[in-house]
Amino acid sequence: MPKMETGYKKACGAYAVIFDAKKEKVGVVPSGSGYRLPGGEISRGESELACLMRTVGADLEIAGFLGKAAQETGARSMDEGLFYLGKWGQPRKGSHDLEWLNLHEAAEKMAGAHHQWAVQEGISNVQASTWF
């Protein structure tokens, strides 16, 4: 990653790629320019897993870490995401109003290349997994 100049704003969040029980759909959150993954910005002193439990829900099961990806969001700002693979035993209502999109539709409609990358990584991981 290039060295950041003074005054460069960086936001870091934790997000989950959540699949339904049949591995046919991904839970997404509507945003102004498409969809994003459930999760949110990590508060000062908070771990990424604590952030996921706070923003997504304590009943989220985490299968593993998918990776870290970032995207420039302006001339002097960067949005970095830490992405995890997860599932719920039962779809739930929580801090996010999830919509469930089929796998490829979810990948195409992400508002941000880093969220799109995470969905594609999640699809690759879940199709090879016996965890679901």
Side-chain angles (χ1 to χ4, degrees), residues 68-90:
K68 176 168 62 171
Q71 177 174 332
E72 285 190 42
T73 55
R76 300 185 67 80
S77 63
M78 176 79 64
D79 184 20
E80 181 178 87
L82 303 169
F83 297 95
Y84 290 82
L85 182 61
K87 73 174 181 177
W88 283 316
Q90 295 287 324

Side-chain angles (χ1 to χ4, degrees), residues 23-105:
K23 301 189 278 187
E24 295 173 346
K25 297 185 181 212
V26 175
V28 297
V29 179
S31 74
S33 56
Y35 294 92
R36 63 179 180 80
L37 293 167
E41 190 167 343
I42 300 170
S43 298
R44 184 174 298 248
E46 181 178 48
S47 74
E48 56 263 22
L49 293 178
C51 174
L52 283 174
M53 296 302 115
R54 174 179 54 82
T55 59
V56 179
D59 52 345
L60 176 68
E61 296 178 45
I62 301 291
F65 183 63
L66 291 172
K68 176 168 62 171
Q71 177 174 332
E72 285 190 42
T73 55
R76 300 185 67 80
S77 63
M78 176 79 64
D79 184 20
E80 181 178 87
L82 303 169
F83 297 95
Y84 290 82
L85 182 61
K87 73 174 181 177
W88 283 316
Q90 295 287 324
R92 60 180 279 286
K93 289 194 179 262
S95 59
H96 292 296
D97 292 323
L98 289 184
E99 292 185 19
W100 295 89
L101 300 180
N102 73 50
L103 302 182
H104 299 291
E105 182 183 23

